Amino acid sequence: MTEIRWRGWGECETVPGMTSSDMWTLEQARRYDDEGGMFSPEVLAPTVDALVALADGGQALELAIGTGRVAVPLRARGVPVSGIELSAAMVEQLRTKVTPDQIPVTIGDMATARVPGEFSLVYLVYNTIGNLCTQQEQVECFHNAARHLSAGGRFLVEVGVPSLRRLPPGQAAVPFDVSDEHLGFDTYDLVSQRAISHHFTRQEDGTYRRGRHNYRFVWPSELDLMAQLAGMTLEHRAQDWIGTPFTSQSEGHVSVWRLAP
């Protein structure tokens, strides 16, 4: 694996042998659960409903499990869940909710780390496939998912469709949230498929905290090829967790690939 260390606006350096993912700090991990929208019942309920059905009575493995936003309610629905997570700080927050016996987590890179056992479902939600900033690592992530699946098991990815149609000629940035409390925009490198999400979040004293997140955007057809290379075929693709049909106008998708029985 190769680590991409961002030094400035679009600059990076590589360090052989490590993942390219951004590392969540303790401060970021402590703030993560305050991001209200993705924790709302309207978002979580259909997510968990779909994962329960796909697990089909078996065990589930969450890649990039984080603070347990999805894993904790999924376990509460009776699905045994394990996880892989790069950031020990995120797992520290998860441990305020559940014990290691309840949800075991392996610290490591989701493209290579191994977890004991076989799983009927491996899943990766909320655009996290993009945390792997190279195509090679994303391909290896699919292989790693397949290694953990039992015969006939499923791999699910939730991710956005790149917003490149919003880019007029000569423009490199696309806003995705403009409000009194938060300003967010993405800058794109169309050749490398790397992008940066920039966040300016209003604080209680009126100042703004700046943050940014590096990711690699990926197309649905590219993900299908990654799955094929790992011995999986597309079973279903929808626009969202409730099954809205996926079209050329969809801004995201929930895709499920299946390992051969």
Side-chain angles (χ1 to χ4, degrees):
M1 293 294 124
T2 300
E3 181 183 16
I4 309 298
R5 290 182 179 171
W6 293 86
R7 299 180 299 198
W9 193 274
E11 294 182 86
C12 64
E13 59 180 343
T14 60
V15 179
M18 299 181 69
T19 177
S20 66
S21 299
D22 286 349
M23 178 68 76
W24 288 83
T25 66
L26 183 58
E27 179 185 356
Q28 291 169 326
R30 287 173 174 167
R31 290 198 306 261
Y32 188 80
D33 286 3
D34 295 331
E35 302 294 330
M38 62 182 176
F39 286 86
S40 68
E42 294 79 10
V43 172
L44 270 179
T47 301
V48 174
D49 287 345
L51 294 174
V52 169
L54 289 168
D56 196 23
Q59 298 186 82
L61 171 64
E62 180 170 358
L63 306 183
I65 194 171
T67 66
R69 179 182 72 94
V70 174
V72 171
L74 183 59
R75 177 186 176 275
R77 290 282 299 276
V79 178
V81 184
S82 298
I84 293 174
E85 173 57 48
L86 184 64
S87 170
M90 295 289 271
V91 178
E92 181 178 320
Q93 298 305 302
L94 171 63
R95 289 291 165 244
T96 67
K97 308 170 188 177
V98 291
T99 67
D101 289 337
Q102 292 171 323
I103 297 183
V105 176
T106 297
I107 301 293
D109 172 10
M110 62 183 168
T112 58
R114 295 297 304 273
V115 172
E118 286 190 338
F119 300 85
S120 61
L121 173 66
V122 178
Y123 66 94
L124 183 56
V125 298
Y126 209 66
N127 299 317
T128 316
I129 185 68
N131 288 5
L132 299 169
C133 291
T134 71
Q135 186 183 67
Q136 177 189 354
E137 288 174 317
Q138 291 178 347
V139 168
E140 287 304 313
C141 183
F142 273 76
H143 281 288
N144 201 31
R147 284 192 289 266
H148 285 93
L149 287 172
S150 55
R154 296 176 171 94
F155 181 39
L156 177 146
V157 172
E158 175 195 16
V159 66
V161 175
S163 301
L164 302 189
R165 71 178 68 189
R166 299 179 183 175
L167 279 177
Q171 180 174 309
V174 173
F176 58 84
D177 185 30
V178 179
S179 66
D180 290 341
E181 303 303 319
H182 178 256
L183 171 64
F185 61 93
D186 288 328
T187 52
Y188 292 94
D189 182 331
L190 303 186
V191 175
S192 67
Q193 291 184 215
R194 291 189 185 132
I196 307 174
S197 285
H198 304 264
H199 300 269
F200 294 86
T201 306
R202 185 179 177 87
Q203 306 300 288
E204 290 183 0
D205 63 1
T207 62
Y208 282 82
R209 182 184 72 248
R210 181 182 181 183
R212 69 182 196 171
H213 170 63
N214 302 290
Y215 68 97
R216 180 182 188 269
F217 61 87
V218 62
W219 301 97
S221 57
E222 189 180 3
L223 293 170
D224 290 341
L225 180 56
M226 293 179 187
Q228 180 181 336
L229 294 172
M232 297 181 283
T233 56
L234 181 67
E235 181 177 72
H236 179 69
R237 172 169 290 133
Q239 176 176 294
D240 50 33
W241 290 97
I242 62 174
T244 303
F246 180 78
T247 72
S248 61
Q249 303 303 310
S250 298
E251 296 185 350
H253 61 100
V254 177
S255 297
V256 180
W257 299 270
R258 194 163 192 178
L259 193 66

